[in-house]
Amino acid sequence: MTTGAGAGAGFVGRIGELETIRSVVDGARAGTMSALLVHGDAGVGKTRLVSRAAAVATEDGDDVLVLSGACLPLTRLSVPLLPVRTALRDAPPELGSPDLSAMDGADPSGGAPVVVDDWLEQVSRRRPVILVIDDLQWADGDSLDVLLYVLAGSVDRRLAVLLTLRRGEVGADHPVHGWLADLRRMPCFAELGLGPLDRGETREQVAALLGSPPHESLVSEVFSRSGGNAYLTRLLVQGLSPDARHLGPDLPADLRTAVLRPWHRLPEAVRELVLVIAVGGEVAVGTPLARAARVTGVPPEQAPRLLREAVEAGLLDVDARGGGYWFHHPLQAEALVAGVPAEELRLLHAAFAAECEADLAAGPRDDPAAGLGSSSTTAATVASIAAVAHHHDLAGHPLEAYRWTMRAVDAPDVVGTGGERLGLLRRAVALREELTEVEESRLDLLLRLRGVAASLGDVEEELQAVEAVLATVAPDDEPLLTAELIVRREHLRLATGRAFLTVEPPRRAVALAERDARSWQYSYALTAVAHASLWHDEPDAHDLAAAALTRARATGHPKALAYAYAAAAMSAIFQEHDGAAELAARGVAAAVEARDWWAYVHASSWEANAVEAPIHHAWADRMRQRREDLEALGGPHSSIAWMSAGEASSRLYSGAVDECTDRLRVALGSDPGVGAEVMTRLVAARLAALQGRLAEARAHLARAEELFNETSGFLAFEFDAVRAFVAIAADDPEGAVRAAMAGATGGGTPPTMCEWLLPLAARGLADLAETQRHDGRTPVETLAAVDDLVTRFPHTIAERATPTPTYQRFLAGLDALYAAEVARARRADDQPSAWSDAVALLEGMLPWEEAYAAFRAAEVRLVRGRAGRGEAVGMLRRSHHLAGDLRAEPVRRAVEELAGQARIPLGEVTPSSPPVDVPARGRPWHLTPRETEILDHIVAGRTYGEIARALFLSEKTVSSHVSNLLRKTGAANRLELARLARRAVAVAEDTG
């Protein structure tokens, strides 16, 4: 996935912020001075953002002058006007230089502000100027005076002033506060608060730092610990290998130094109190604050006064709602605790445990009766109970830690999300291993742990718990429980990529559960056998599915019904029977009742399959609706991500690139779990390959292969088809043939995307044959392989899906593509008609394949002489237009190369030239002059390259402007953008 418009090397996200700065610069270009202050935490990316925005501005081709100066945290040396001096030294000699001697303080009339203002006035008449002053928190008073004087001057000049200010470095008495108060009264001044990167942007940053898409578990750790601070993220991953799944056990020394810099500047008493708060691990407010003060030996009433210094230093934040204190960066607390010697740390935790127990014994101040002997379980009480357990554990008191942990687990309302209860149970299980004098059995704890993990959709945690339970119980003593867990283990092994479904494990479950054939566990196990049998073409699969549904209906158990209805829907689809959608919808309803999110995803997928093929928007729309329902139900992200990945794949088929990319970002917006991540990676690899981003495609595919133990045999996923796509993008035809044939010749039900396998294999053979001919060799073996391919597979492979008209046409289109590639390999006489047939059948359904087929149709006609030149021109332009909308760079480059060789213009350079007032009246999207100019070229049908050459811009800059146009107008692609523009012009002319 790309980093967005305006992104440079290593620059991620910040699209909205870049647009804000761009508007300031565009205003300056238009003749109106403005200033923007960008403020935020150290390391959040202020300097990089402003630098990137300035660099983008210089790419726009109107000779913008960028002057950059930075303030420095000098301690013993004073250099008046340092940032102003360094900025003005960047001025080209031909513009003349201001008289820097006027800045030396000799002129009592304050000559520096006048000199700088006059010089900027003169220069801005010749060209737009961007003045950047970085780190205002260290600015001297003279520099602030110069800037204030400049910004108080005439606004009718081409000047943009970009300033950055670091949070936490400016004390209450710093002169910048008064300076800002004056500046905020000026109409030319605006502010932009820069927050941390979100999780998706953090992933992109880590990918850029490591050189490949990172493992999601690594992204989760980095994001939770860095808080999205770009500088801290860089320090965290520094030195990691690209395939790292987790951060190292210790914090890097540079990172500890960076995050603890404000702590070291505090007085000793404040440092000690802050360190104890970090060890306490709670927001310091009320009882927790008093507790930390007592452990430190500070009178509780003095603690807030001491902590205000830490707030002013940017080390702590104050919770606006509760007034409590906690660290501004998550890593600050971690770094402080990591620096405490082990024995001292144990003593501190023991002291905290004692203080927490004393507070609980006394009861909350507002309810003295609610102490340890009370049944009250307020949120504060439960949090304190959990805190006692935590501190006893870290103090090395296992029995006390276990007892307090179980008290917290058993509280009616565990504080926070279910993840906190999961963590408590995980600790209880671990502590239970070394204890003998406790009541709860290990089995009871594991079953509770498994239940919480299932409710959260944490498939890895649940699988570990299920495996532990199965290793603990004797099947003959607990046959129904064992049968249920054997089936669930198969679901979880599939969800985590350990293995695809097989028939034997659920058959063992059936044998155990048939001791009570009326139990829901028996129908549940029978359904699992039916499900696996359907995938593997077992002869009794359909009978098993029917029997399982009958049994499940008899039990009325929602979990059994959810899977039985889904299996019945799958059977109906495979047999081309009616009613599959209704069966699957009932499975969805049962899954909701059972709160079984895996069953929900499973049934929703088969419901969509019953409605349409995944290539159709109706399939994606149905999945979108079910996903939105799941979000409303509070389903876990792992399940939402799984459905988002499926929707992304469907959107990719139809060429809805932006929607596809959006779904991919959502799927990876939090840790999606192994199965959903693999789905997402495969779609992302295919998109990157189709758009010519080979390194990214390879990295996504490699990550998917790393996560899954089984790939080609994992029939629900499209590993082999994606491998073939990536091999084609890498100009590796032999690799493409190997990958496609691995998928085509596997046993059982054809895998996902099986329809593409033979066209891709034929394409690889055709490319190989052409290469051999170009090298002067006769492709005897390759043509024999083509003959063998066609003999074994006369037509493309069809998935067992509902035979809708859309799917039938889709098969016909890929079959035509297959035939055309075979004709290309053989250099058959019917190549032109074969490619034309493919284009006609693919039109409006598979735009990626249509663009490619149109290119081949043009190519073969041009190679064969001028007789087909007219048709070739039309095909080339058609291919070029589609490739532009799809951003399919390999096809676009091939078309442009062929068009250049054949001297075929791909578009007429005839801007629409609307009346001068039409952009304002007929295009109500607040476009900049540059965006309006580029929109005219889009309406005229020009490519990015043609626009770039016409306007003397880079193609990257054109792409950035087009992205902004799409966002402002709401258009889905360039074609819709052009249509909107034409319609707006027509409406304006009709009403004008």
Side-chain angles (χ1 to χ4, degrees):
M1 290 174 287
T2 63
T3 56
F11 189 91
V12 299
R14 307 300 194 194
I15 296 174
E17 291 88 346
L18 279 170
E19 178 62 22
T20 298
I21 301 178
R22 186 193 300 275
S23 66
V24 171
V25 174
D26 286 343
R29 283 197 180 99
T32 302
M33 179 182 69
S34 56
L36 180 69
L37 173 68
V38 181
H39 54 83
D41 297 334
V44 80
K46 303 177 297 298
T47 301
R48 192 167 179 81
L49 171 68
V50 171
S51 299
R52 179 58 193 154
V56 170
T58 62
E59 294 172 2
D60 282 352
D62 50 5
D63 202 24
V64 172
L65 173 62
V66 177
L67 305 173
S68 297
C71 309
L72 298 175
L74 303 176
T75 55
R76 298 183 181 181
L77 180 67
S78 176
V79 181
L81 298 164
L82 174 63
V84 179
R85 292 173 184 270
T86 55
L88 297 184
R89 285 171 183 159
D90 289 340
E94 64 269 18
L95 294 178
S97 300
D99 182 8
L100 297 181
S101 64
M103 302 183 187
D104 292 334
D107 187 345
S109 65
V114 176
V115 167
V116 173
D117 186 66
D118 286 348
W119 185 82
L120 288 172
E121 176 74 25
Q122 296 170 21
V123 173
S124 64
R125 291 174 184 170
R126 301 172 63 179
R127 57 197 289 193
V129 178
I130 300 176
L131 175 61
V132 178
I133 302 295
D134 198 21
D135 286 324
L136 275 180
Q137 71 276 0
W138 296 318
D140 61 283
D142 290 340
S143 295
L144 295 178
D145 286 344
V146 168
L147 291 171
L148 187 63
Y149 186 85
V150 168
L151 294 174
S154 172
V155 297
D156 297 326
R157 50 182 164 179
R158 296 189 294 172
L159 174 64
V161 180
L162 304 179
L163 311 167
T164 73
L165 177 67
R166 179 183 296 185
R167 178 192 181 279
E169 297 280 348
V170 180
D173 57 348
H174 196 288
V176 79
H177 289 299
W179 181 82
L180 277 174
D182 293 332
L183 202 58
R184 287 182 176 119
R185 292 194 289 268
M186 297 182 181
C188 68
F189 179 73
E191 296 182 59
L192 174 63
L194 197 62
L197 298 174
D198 62 24
R199 189 180 190 281
E201 292 165 337
T202 298
R203 181 192 309 103
E204 293 181 19
Q205 183 191 4
V206 174
L209 292 169
L210 298 182
S212 66
H215 194 288
E216 286 305 310
S217 61
L218 177 65
V219 175
S220 296
E221 285 189 24
V222 170
F223 184 64
S224 67
R225 295 172 76 178
S226 74
N229 183 289
Y231 176 63
L232 299 183
T233 293
R234 181 169 65 81
L235 293 179
L236 275 171
V237 304
Q238 187 172 326
L240 289 180
S241 65
D243 60 350
R245 295 192 176 207
H246 299 285
L247 292 170
D250 300 320
L251 292 178
D254 289 348
L255 187 146
R256 291 184 58 191
T257 300
V259 299
L260 294 184
R261 186 176 291 116
W263 182 78
H264 287 291
R265 294 200 300 262
L266 294 170
E268 182 178 356
V270 180
R271 290 202 307 271
E272 185 176 357
L273 179 57
V274 168
L275 185 147
V276 169
I277 288 173
V279 173
E282 294 180 88
V283 173
V285 61
T287 300
L289 176 57
R291 189 183 299 150
R294 292 196 301 269
V295 170
T296 312
V298 172
E301 64 274 9
Q302 295 183 15
R305 177 182 58 80
L306 294 175
L307 294 181
R308 278 196 293 272
E309 294 189 53
V311 172
E312 291 179 0
L315 182 66
L316 299 183
D317 286 337
V318 178
D319 184 351
R321 294 170 297 178
Y325 301 88
W326 190 244
F327 293 87
H328 184 65
H329 291 302
L331 284 169
Q332 291 170 321
E334 185 179 345
L336 281 173
V337 173
V340 180
E343 184 57 34
E344 182 182 343
L345 192 59
R346 282 194 294 272
L347 292 174
L348 282 173
H349 281 298
F352 264 112
E355 291 290 346
C356 288
E357 288 191 34
D359 287 336
L360 283 165
R365 294 182 180 181
D366 59 347
D367 184 7
L372 288 178
S374 169
S375 60
S376 173
T377 53
T378 64
T381 303
V382 177
S384 294
I385 292 171
V388 176
H390 169 76
H391 290 301
H392 273 307
D393 187 20
L394 295 179
H397 308 153
L399 181 58
E400 293 86 348
Y402 177 81
R403 287 173 174 168
W404 284 97
T405 297
M406 290 309 300
R407 186 174 296 182
V409 168
D410 292 333
D413 297 305
V414 174
V415 177
T417 64
E420 186 160 347
R421 191 182 294 274
L422 186 65
L424 289 167
L425 282 166
R426 195 184 297 118
R427 177 195 289 155
V429 170
L431 290 168
R432 178 67 179 77
E433 297 295 329
E434 53 183 299
L435 300 172
T436 57
E437 62 273 39
V438 297
E439 297 179 1
E440 297 84 2
S441 70
R442 182 173 182 272
L443 177 60
D444 289 339
L445 291 176
L446 288 172
L447 289 174
R448 293 183 69 175
L449 177 62
R450 177 248 171 151
V452 174
S455 69
L456 295 174
D458 190 334
V459 291
E460 286 286 351
E461 189 75 47
E462 186 185 358
L463 178 58
Q464 291 179 29
V466 167
E467 295 278 18
V469 172
L470 286 172
T472 301
V473 300
D476 289 337
D477 294 338
E478 296 282 356
L480 295 182
L481 174 61
T482 304
E484 177 203 347
L485 293 180
I486 287 174
V487 172
R488 185 61 178 174
R489 179 172 61 184
E490 292 304 291
H491 295 162
L492 295 169
R493 285 170 62 81
L494 185 149
T496 57
R498 285 167 170 80
F500 193 67
L501 299 174
T502 57
V503 175
E504 287 309 313
R507 281 182 176 160
R508 291 198 301 273
V510 168
L512 284 167
E514 66 184 357
R515 302 179 191 184
D516 184 358
R518 293 178 296 179
S519 66
W520 73 266
Q521 290 91 341
Y522 178 70
S523 63
Y524 182 59
L526 198 62
T527 298
V529 176
H531 188 200
S533 297
L534 287 166
W535 273 111
H536 294 288
D537 284 331
E538 296 288 336
D540 59 346
H542 300 292
D543 292 338
L544 285 169
L549 181 56
T550 299
R551 294 276 186 175
R553 283 171 169 164
T555 68
H557 196 282
K559 183 184 286 288
L561 284 169
Y563 289 97
Y565 276 124
M570 185 178 178
S571 174
I573 290 172
F574 285 5
Q575 296 182 91
E576 300 183 13
H577 291 173
D578 295 332
E582 176 60 26
L583 289 168
R586 292 183 181 183
V588 172
V592 172
E593 184 180 353
R595 306 292 288 182
D596 188 324
W597 306 124
W598 176 255
Y600 184 97
V601 173
H602 180 56
S604 296
S605 298
W606 285 107
E607 182 188 27
N609 290 337
V611 172
E612 256 300 355
I615 58 166
H616 197 278
H617 68 83
W619 192 99
D621 291 344
R622 181 60 62 96
M623 288 294 283
R624 174 186 54 78
Q625 183 60 59
R626 288 302 190 191
R627 171 182 54 78
E628 291 174 353
D629 292 344
L630 180 59
E631 291 169 348
L633 289 165
H637 179 73
S638 58
S639 299
I640 293 168
W642 194 289
M643 301 183 78
S644 290
E647 188 183 340
S649 181
S650 180
R651 302 296 184 192
L652 179 57
Y653 293 146
S654 62
V657 176
D658 293 335
E659 292 90 333
C660 171
T661 302
D662 178 68
R663 286 296 95 207
L664 294 176
R665 290 183 64 86
V666 167
L668 296 176
S670 184
D671 190 349
V674 173
E677 182 179 349
V678 169
M679 288 181 67
T680 306
R681 297 288 187 191
L682 291 175
V683 179
R686 183 156 42 103
L687 174 62
L690 289 167
Q691 292 188 330
R693 302 190 305 278
L694 180 58
E696 182 182 339
R698 282 172 164 163
H700 281 302
L701 177 58
R703 187 69 72 205
E705 292 173 332
E706 171 199 347
L707 291 170
F708 259 32
N709 295 335
E710 185 175 349
T711 56
S712 289
F714 208 91
L715 303 180
F717 287 175
E718 57 271 27
F719 273 100
D720 291 315
V722 174
R723 287 190 183 109
F725 271 111
V726 174
I728 289 292
D731 196 21
D732 177 16
E734 293 172 307
V737 174
R738 284 194 303 271
M741 293 310 297
T745 57
T749 298
T752 297
M753 285 192 69
C754 61
E755 301 92 345
W756 274 265
L757 293 171
L758 296 181
L760 287 167
R763 179 173 176 176
L765 289 170
D767 287 348
L768 189 58
E770 289 298 296
T771 299
Q772 291 166 345
R773 291 184 180 112
H774 291 160
D775 294 342
R777 293 177 287 155
T778 302
V780 177
E781 293 183 1
T782 302
L783 292 178
V786 171
D787 294 339
D788 180 64
L789 180 68
V790 175
T791 300
R792 296 175 66 188
F793 300 98
H795 299 281
T796 194
I797 302 170
E799 192 170 345
R800 290 194 293 184
T802 301
T804 63
T806 300
Y807 189 68
Q808 296 299 335
R809 185 183 162 207
F810 157 68
L811 286 178
L814 287 183
D815 210 32
L817 185 62
Y818 177 30
E821 292 288 14
V822 169
R824 180 166 72 96
R826 292 170 171 168
R827 287 196 171 177
D829 292 338
D830 63 346
Q831 267 199 84
S833 61
W835 284 112
S836 292
D837 290 345
V839 171
L841 287 166
L842 294 166
E843 180 180 3
M845 177 170 292
L846 296 174
W848 304 93
E849 287 73 16
E850 181 187 351
Y852 169 73
F855 161 70
R856 291 295 185 194
E859 179 187 49
V860 70
R861 284 168 170 79
L862 291 173
V863 167
R864 296 194 174 193
R866 298 191 59 84
R869 185 177 176 86
E871 292 177 279
V873 170
M875 287 291 184
L876 270 185
R877 289 178 176 171
R878 177 178 186 170
S879 177
H880 195 253
H881 174 76
L882 282 168
D885 281 346
L886 297 168
R887 302 192 281 281
E889 289 303 301
V891 174
R892 185 190 64 80
R893 287 194 297 267
V895 169
E896 290 179 355
E897 181 180 355
L898 181 59
Q901 293 169 351
R903 298 185 179 180
I904 294 174
L906 292 172
E908 295 298 326
V909 185
T910 53
S912 55
S913 300
V916 293
D917 63 332
V918 167
R921 293 191 297 109
R923 297 176 184 175
W925 304 304
H926 307 291
L927 306 185
T928 66
R930 176 69 80 192
E931 289 168 348
T932 299
E933 191 174 21
I934 287 177
L935 181 56
D936 283 340
H937 288 287
I938 293 293
V939 172
R942 290 190 185 182
T943 66
Y944 285 8
E946 289 170 341
I947 298 172
R949 289 189 291 273
L951 299 180
F952 302 99
L953 304 176
S954 70
E955 289 193 42
K956 182 183 292 186
T957 299
V958 173
S959 175
S960 175
H961 282 301
V962 172
S963 296
N964 289 332
L965 285 167
L966 294 174
R967 179 181 55 78
K968 288 184 176 182
T969 62
N973 50 46
R974 288 171 49 196
L975 180 60
E976 185 178 344
L977 176 64
R979 290 171 178 167
L980 283 173
R982 293 190 190 99
R983 190 179 307 125
V985 171
V987 170
E989 291 175 342
D990 290 341
T991 59

